[in-house]
Amino acid sequence: AQSVTQLDSQVPVFEEAPVELRCNYSSSVSVYLFWYVQYPNQGLQLLLKYLSGSTLVKGINGFEAEFNKSQTSFHLRKPSVHISDTAEYFCAVSRSGDDKIIFGKGTRLHILP
Amino acid sequence: EPEVTQTPSHQVTQMGQEVILRCVPISNHLYFYWYRQILGQKVEFLVSFYNNEISEKSEIFDDQFSVERPDGSNFTLKIRSTKLEDSAMYFCASRKVGGELFFGEGSRLTVL
C-alpha cells in the first residue's frame, strides 16, 4: 500500500523568502505523485504532478517539485513566496493514473509579513 | 472551464438523521470519488465509483454510507444515520481515464 508523510505540520516563512515543503512517500510499486493546495474555505486544487519523465516538475503559481526516487521524496519548492500563498498544501500519491489518491496530513504554509 | 459542483455547501443535521450530499462531476469524466476531511485533519479516501459500481472503498465507508449515480449527471453520497463523528467536509472528485483528479468545493456536514 502507498503512504505519504509530510514532515512539517506548519511552516512559517517571511514574504519573498524561499520555501520548501517536505514530502516522503512509500510504495512497493511505481507511483504518481501530486501536490494539491487548499486555500482557506476552498476545495483542493492541483499544483503539479509527477507521472514520468523529468524529475523536476513545474506547476502553477511558481511552484516546482523534484522527484527523488532514491530518497523517496517529492519536496515542493518556491523561490519567493507571497502572502497569497497562505494555504494548506497536501502531498499525495497514487499507484496508477486510475487508482485512488492517498493524501498526506498536509502542511500549513504561514507567510509572515 | 468545467468544474465539479457540490450541494449543499453546508448542512446541519441532528444525530441519527439521513443526509444526502450531491455532486455533479465534470461531464466527460468516468471515475468518481468521495473524500472527507475532518476539521484540522488530512483528506481521507472514502470510495471510488466507475462503470456504475463501487470500485474501491475504505474502512471508513461502512454500511451507513452508500453512493449512487441516479442519472447521467449526479453522483450522491448518502449517510443513513449520521453520527457526531461524521461531521466533516466531504469532497467529491472526478477524472477522465488517466487524467488528473478534479475536486469540488466541498460540502460541510455538521452533526449535532
Side-chain angles (χ1 to χ4, degrees):
Chain A
Q2 303 83 43
S3 67
V4 175
T5 302
Q6 291 184 248
L7 299 167
D8 306 300
S9 58
Q10 285 194 68
V11 171
V13 62
F14 286 103
E15 197 169 10
E16 298 183 9
V19 69
E20 178 180 84
L21 305 183
R22 296 181 292 170
C23 172
N24 288 87
Y25 69 92
S26 66
S27 176
S28 57
V29 298
S30 296
V31 294
Y32 296 170
L33 293 157
F34 309 85
W35 276 97
Y36 282 83
V37 60
Q38 185 180 32
Y39 296 105
N41 301 313
Q42 293 189 30
L44 295 158
Q45 183 182 1
L46 182 68
L47 266 182
L48 48 80
K49 60 187 176 185
Y50 171 79
L51 305 182
S52 64
S54 174
T55 57
L56 184 62
V57 180
K58 293 192 184 297
I60 62 172
N61 300 341
F63 283 93
E64 64 180 33
E66 185 156 19
F67 171 61
N68 188 320
K69 189 174 181 180
S70 63
Q71 296 186 3
T72 60
S73 68
F74 190 56
H75 300 333
L76 181 71
R77 301 186 186 99
K78 186 169 181 177
S80 175
V81 296
H82 189 266
I83 196 77
S84 59
D85 294 322
T86 298
E88 187 96 19
Y89 292 80
F90 293 93
C91 184
V93 63
S94 76
R95 189 172 50 192
S96 72
D98 297 328
D99 195 22
K100 65 182 185 292
I101 286 181
I102 301 298
F103 287 86
K105 290 188 175 182
T107 298
R108 184 171 300 276
L109 181 59
H110 183 47
I111 309 298
L112 305 169
Chain B
E1 187 177 324
E3 57 182 20
V4 177
T5 57
Q6 290 185 241
T7 54
S9 57
H10 188 193
Q11 180 155 357
V12 181
T13 190
Q14 295 289 328
M15 190 169 56
Q17 294 296 304
E18 175 183 283
V19 159
I20 297 177
L21 305 178
R22 292 182 167 78
C23 170
V24 180
I26 295 172
S27 62
N28 61 348
H29 287 189
L30 299 177
Y31 293 83
F32 313 113
Y33 303 80
W34 282 101
Y35 285 79
R36 81 169 184 192
Q37 184 182 29
I38 295 172
L39 187 63
Q41 298 186 26
K42 70 175 181 178
V43 180
E44 301 173 292
F45 168 76
L46 290 179
V47 65
S48 58
F49 191 87
Y50 171 71
N51 200 26
N52 285 319
E53 61 182 22
I54 290 174
S55 47
E56 189 172 358
K57 59 184 180 180
S58 71
E59 292 177 353
I60 303 167
F61 195 87
D62 61 23
D63 292 344
Q64 292 298 312
F65 290 88
S66 63
V67 289
E68 198 176 37
R69 188 157 162 79
D71 53 42
S73 60
N74 289 285
F75 179 53
T76 61
L77 174 69
K78 182 192 290 186
I79 308 175
R80 217 177 317 278
S81 176
T82 50
K83 303 188 283 287
L84 294 176
E85 54 264 38
D86 293 327
S87 293
M89 183 75 97
Y90 288 82
F91 291 104
C92 175
S94 70
R95 68 158 117 207
K96 291 190 286 191
V97 174
E100 71 179 73
L101 211 55
F102 286 83
F103 284 85
E105 297 269 316
S107 293
R108 183 174 298 282
L109 176 64
T110 302
V111 182
L112 302 176

